Amino acid sequence: MKKLFVSTLLLIGLSMNVSAQKLPPHPSKSELIDFKMRELDKRYNTEKKLILNHPLATKQMKRDQLKALNDKYRSQKKMLQKMK
């Protein structure tokens, strides 16, 4: 009888402990995509600034790098919009 009483108290105590721990809410799919879009925009802007402010690059080199960056940005943006 004592073993049954102790085991039930232990079980109740553990179940209360587990139910007391709340997990943070998971972001929705649209929130994740919006976060990724903001992150992509921020990364694009910093890379663009770095290219434009590079002291040794010629105008042609900067133009080529910006074209490649714009193509990469456009494709990633399109991929994220398809996921929505």
Side-chain angles (χ1 to χ4, degrees):
M1 187 68 183
K2 284 185 180 181
K3 288 183 181 181
L4 179 65
F5 182 70
V6 171
S7 63
T8 55
L9 283 178
L10 184 63
L11 184 63
I12 290 172
L14 289 175
S15 65
M16 290 176 76
N17 189 20
V18 168
S19 66
Q21 296 175 353
K22 291 195 175 190
L23 297 174
H26 292 288
S28 67
K29 183 178 178 181
S30 61
E31 288 174 337
L32 283 174
I33 291 173
D34 290 340
F35 175 74
K36 291 288 185 184
M37 288 243 198
R38 284 191 305 270
E39 192 177 274
L40 180 65
D41 291 338
K42 193 184 305 181
R43 191 171 52 230
Y44 170 77
N45 289 332
T46 55
E47 287 184 37
K48 185 176 177 181
K49 283 180 189 175
L50 288 173
I51 290 171
L52 292 175
N53 294 331
H54 195 280
L56 300 177
T58 63
K59 286 183 181 179
Q60 182 65 36
M61 289 169 60
K62 287 180 183 181
R63 196 175 313 129
D64 292 342
Q65 288 178 341
L66 282 175
K67 184 178 179 194
L69 179 66
N70 288 334
D71 291 342
K72 178 179 151 187
Y73 173 74
R74 218 175 292 121
S75 67
Q76 288 177 346
K77 193 83 162 181
K78 193 181 293 183
M79 182 182 66
L80 280 173
Q81 287 174 348
K82 280 184 182 179
M83 292 177 69
K84 267 189 173 177

